Amino acid sequence: MAQDKKKKFNFIITEEMVNRAESYMPLARKVALAKTIAPDCIYTAEITTQTLEANKVLALPQICLENILTKQLYLMQIFLTEYLHIELPKGEDGKELEFSTEIYDNFARNHPLNQLERLKTNPVVKDKVFDIIADYKEFKKLLDIEIYNLRLARNDAWERALAGIGVITTPEAIQKMQAELEKLNATIAKGKATAAKAKKAANTRALKNEVAKEQK
């Protein structure tokens, strides 16, 4: 049944659709969208056992990686809605559905970008097709740069170290550290007292042995 539904979905980019499409997205909107989308395209790496042990010394924020799946979903959604003005699927309540991987695949298997590329030979719309593709690629480039800059900032060694210091210098963390320090000092003091007592006992035994030798 699922395969039949997929076969029924046929997305064809027509001349009329190209004529209605946007061939240029204003720079301010490109940047605004890139800055809005970029944080969703980053995720923190899984914590390894080694990292957990290291965090006991200094709790550093995790390394950030690019979320390729989320990025692709956003790019397809932007291409369809911002450039081609395609109305995305809606639910029974009339509200637009979340752009899922299933919706992505329905459009992607029809290769919309390749369809545009093939329309470059169409003398009626070829100029606009070139403009749409070029502008979309410019937006994609801006998004890539924003994701890269965001990852670079979050993964910067100094930034992570400072963030880690910020974590351990909160009032709660300082109180916990003071409590641990007091415990450590108490343990050290107890150890010194035990060592001194043992040394004194050893000296006393040695003195008794010397006295016993002299009496003999």
Side-chain angles (χ1 to χ4, degrees), residues 28-93:
R29 179 154 181 78
K30 284 192 184 82
V31 173
L33 283 172
K35 287 185 177 295
T36 301
I37 293 170
D40 290 341
C41 298
I42 292 175
Y43 72 99
T44 52
E46 293 184 9
I47 301 177
T48 62
T49 304
Q50 183 178 2
T51 304
L52 285 173
E53 290 299 319
N55 282 347
K56 292 179 181 179
V57 179
L58 178 61
L60 294 177
Q62 294 167 248
I63 291 290
C64 291
L65 303 175
E66 183 175 327
N67 190 323
I68 301 173
L69 187 147
T70 301
K71 177 185 169 183
Q72 289 303 114
L73 292 178
Y74 271 120
L75 285 172
M76 178 65 81
Q77 191 173 2
I78 292 295
F79 176 69
L80 294 172
T81 59
E82 294 289 329
Y83 288 96
L84 300 183
H85 298 305
I86 300 299
E87 188 174 325
L88 297 178
K90 294 181 179 180
E92 294 179 359
D93 57 359

Side-chain angles (χ1 to χ4, degrees), residues 88-101:
L88 297 178
K90 294 181 179 180
E92 294 179 359
D93 57 359
K95 294 182 179 179
E96 189 175 295
L97 296 172
E98 180 182 353
F99 199 80
S100 63
T101 54

